[in-house]
């Protein structure tokens, strides 16, 4: 039952620390969520839904295939969105998604609710797989010109018009406090998985400048978020 | 005990790791730390919690149904036909079944072609060894259609690539097949054909790399193949490598699929 102990600071994410391990099926959601679904968004925003995702992940760790299938159904559009955004090749993104879920199945037992939310665990795993793939690619194709046309999202906001979470709004507010160039670099880094070198080339600044922009931003973000 | 400065620096490295700006070597170093140090793992988890809400900005995209079928096959999960179907997405289920059968059909086609191709060889062979091993791959194009199927005959050290519905290439271009071991550069297998089956001999180096963690890919190259030894044109199709559905000659199934214990070594 170790998995069920929640860090007090994380409890808010799971609906006041309640954990459902019943076989309750997720609710259909509010009118707003249903509308968002129709627009193509997968709404994994409510505490309820997060709770289900965590429950499925914990059950998957115990070898429950049905729970794993439910987890895939609920989270794959979000994780695939991440893979496609970062890899920029649908077929390769499918490979990365496949790797991501096979790893989720095999490593589900290493998920520890005390260390963070299930959703973060899943999205982090997908991003890491995508970044690994990007590094692999670039190592084998060093001569590839870096695509300067890669455009970062200039209009921050949750995708598909979905409702944002409190965590997102908080992070967004802290990002707003950064210098525009630094904010742009952080966002570019997050969405493209680029290395310092690549970012420096893309933004046409010396490597040292890029490093100090990003590092300063990260420190500022930490101060802002932890305050 | 870390000095405040060390702590500061290493904490920044965890943040850089989570953001994704480190190169492959630096990432690997942080990953080793995560494995060996609980405090490093915790610091990384906290940074992930801080930054991951940005993922909400990435537009969600429904993956094609065959991706789930592949995952299920890879993990050897029970087929949804025998269990309950993931609820709420009847369309997904229909597609899934469709892809499942399509996949089986493509594999069966590969097996049939293999039989046809092996007929002359069987006359020469006195008696096939029962240990004959085959591997197969369905090479899927970016549009989701199967381009080729490949059957690898390990005993005879050759690969037979059969076109299913490959896209037409411009004049003066030919499709070239590559083997991509996980984490390594592509290795040229050879130029294949869009219309007729191609048989290519496999070197020992190539055979050593065949397995469930390796992939096959087809790129568009000048006639005669890539001049550089690495892909120079776009990759138009990819496939993972699994056990052939049935050992054609011995008539019994050979499982070369990844075992879960082997797969657990993955980080």
């Amino acid at each position: 039952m170790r998995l069920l102990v929640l860090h007090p600071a994380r409890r808010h994410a799971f609906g006041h620390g309640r954990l459902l391990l019943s076989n309750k099926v997720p609710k259909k959601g509010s009118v707003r969520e249903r509308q968002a679904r129709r627009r193509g968004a997968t709404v994994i925003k409510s505490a309820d839904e997060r709770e289900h995702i965590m429950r499925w992940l914990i059950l998957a760790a115990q070898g429950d295939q049905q729970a794993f299938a439910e987890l895939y159904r609920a989270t794959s559009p979000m994780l695939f969105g991440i893979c496609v955004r970062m890899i920029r090749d649908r077929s390769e993104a499918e490979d990365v998604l496949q790797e991501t879920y096979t790893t989720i199945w095999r490593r589900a037992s290493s998920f520890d609710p005390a260390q963070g939310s299930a959703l973060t665990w899943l999205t982090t795993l997908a991003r890491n797989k995508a970044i690994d793939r990007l590094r692999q690619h670039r190592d084998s194709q060093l001569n590839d010109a870096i695509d300067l046309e890669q455009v970062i999202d200039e209009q921050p906001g949750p995708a598909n018009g979905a409702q944002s979470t409190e965590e997102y709004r908080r992070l967004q507010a802290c990002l707003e406090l950064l210098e525009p160039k630094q904010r742009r670099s952080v966002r570019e880094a997050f969405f493209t998985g680029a290395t310092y070198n690549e970012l420096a080339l893309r933004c046409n600044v010396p490597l040292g400048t890029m490093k100090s922009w990003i590092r300063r931003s990260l420190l500022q973000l930490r101060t802002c978020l932890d305050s | 005990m870390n000095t405040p400065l060390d702590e500061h620096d290493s904490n920044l490295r965890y943040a850089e790791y989570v953001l994704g700006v480190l190169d492959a070597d630096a990432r690997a170093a942080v990953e080793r730390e995560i494995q060996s140090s609980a405090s490093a793992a915790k610091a990384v988890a906290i940074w992930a919690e801080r930054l991951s809400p940005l993922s909400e900005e990435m537009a969600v995209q429904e993956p094609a149904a065959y991706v789930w079928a592949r995952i299920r096959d890879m993990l050897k999960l029970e087929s949804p036909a025998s269990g309950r179907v993931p609820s709420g997405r009847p369309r997904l289920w229909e597609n899934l079944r469709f892809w499942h059968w399509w996949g089986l059909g493509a594999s069966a086609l590969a097996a049939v072609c293999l039989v046809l191709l092996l007929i002359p060889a069987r006359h020469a062979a006195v008696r096939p060894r029962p240990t004959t091993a085959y591997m197969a791959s369905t090479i899927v194009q970016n549009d989701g259609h199967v381009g080729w199927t490949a059957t690898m005959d390990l005993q005879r050290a050759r690969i037979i690539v059969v076109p299913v519905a490959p896209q037409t290439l411009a004049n003066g271009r030919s499709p070239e097949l590559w083997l991509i071991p996980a984490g390594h550069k592509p290795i040229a297998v050879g130029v294949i054909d869009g219309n007729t089956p191609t048989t290519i001999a496999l070197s020992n180096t190539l055979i050593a790399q065949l397995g469930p963690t390796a992939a096959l890919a087809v790129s568009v190259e000048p006639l005669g193949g890539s001049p550089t030894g690495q892909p120079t044109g776009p990759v138009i199709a990819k496939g993972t490598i699994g056990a052939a559905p049935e050992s054609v000659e011995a008539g019994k199934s050979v499982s070369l699929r990844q075992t879960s214990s082997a797969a657990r070594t993955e980080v």
Side-chain angles (χ1 to χ4, degrees), chain B residues 114-184:
Chain B
L114 182 62
V115 173
L116 294 177
L117 287 161
L118 286 174
I119 286 171
R122 287 185 67 170
H123 292 304
V126 180
R127 180 137 196 108
R129 280 183 223 162
T131 51
T132 308
Y134 296 92
M135 287 175 151
S137 175
T138 304
I139 306 172
V140 182
Q141 297 172 103
N142 296 342
D143 61 5
H145 293 111
V146 176
W148 291 264
T149 60
T151 308
M152 287 139 270
D153 177 347
L154 302 187
Q155 201 186 11
R156 292 189 180 78
R158 62 184 182 174
I159 183 169
I160 299 139
V161 188
V162 180
V164 178
Q167 66 186 69
T168 314
L169 303 184
N171 279 339
R173 301 270 134 190
S174 39
E176 182 164 3
L177 183 67
W178 304 86
L179 175 70
I180 310 174
H184 290 91

Side-chain angles (χ1 to χ4, degrees), chain A residues 73 135 165 187 196 215 226, chain B residues 16 20 50 56-57 87:
Chain A
R73 182 189 57 75
R135 299 289 182 275
T165 60
R187 292 175 54 81
Y196 274 133
R215 286 177 180 159
D226 292 357
Chain B
E16 291 170 326
R50 286 187 185 118
E56 287 177 37
E57 280 186 35
S87 63

Side-chain angles (χ1 to χ4, degrees), chain A residues 27-37 163:
Chain A
K27 287 176 192 143
K28 291 280 183 221
S30 66
V31 172
R32 192 201 293 262
E33 285 175 357
R34 282 201 297 276
Q35 282 169 348
R37 265 197 200 113
Q163 198 188 0

Side-chain angles (χ1 to χ4, degrees), chain A residues 157-176:
Chain A
N160 307 73
Q163 198 188 0
S164 63
T165 60
E166 189 196 323
E167 291 84 355
Y168 173 80
R169 289 194 293 274
R170 190 127 186 261
L171 177 58
Q172 195 53 49
C174 290
L175 279 164
E176 283 301 314

Side-chain angles (χ1 to χ4, degrees), chain A residues 151-215:
Chain A
V151 185
I152 59 157
D153 303 81
E154 291 294 359
Q155 292 174 318
N160 307 73
Q163 198 188 0
S164 63
T165 60
E166 189 196 323
E167 291 84 355
Y168 173 80
R169 289 194 293 274
R170 190 127 186 261
L171 177 58
Q172 195 53 49
C174 290
L175 279 164
E176 283 301 314
L177 299 176
L178 302 177
E179 293 286 321
K181 276 181 185 169
Q182 299 182 12
R183 177 170 62 239
R184 189 176 182 278
S185 312
V186 169
R187 292 175 54 81
E188 175 84 2
F190 187 88
F191 292 123
T192 68
T195 60
Y196 274 133
N197 262 318
E198 290 162 343
L199 288 171
L201 277 169
R202 252 178 234 173
C203 301
N204 203 18
V205 296
L207 178 59
T209 308
M210 181 52 71
K211 283 189 178 176
S212 82
W213 281 357
I214 297 267
R215 286 177 180 159

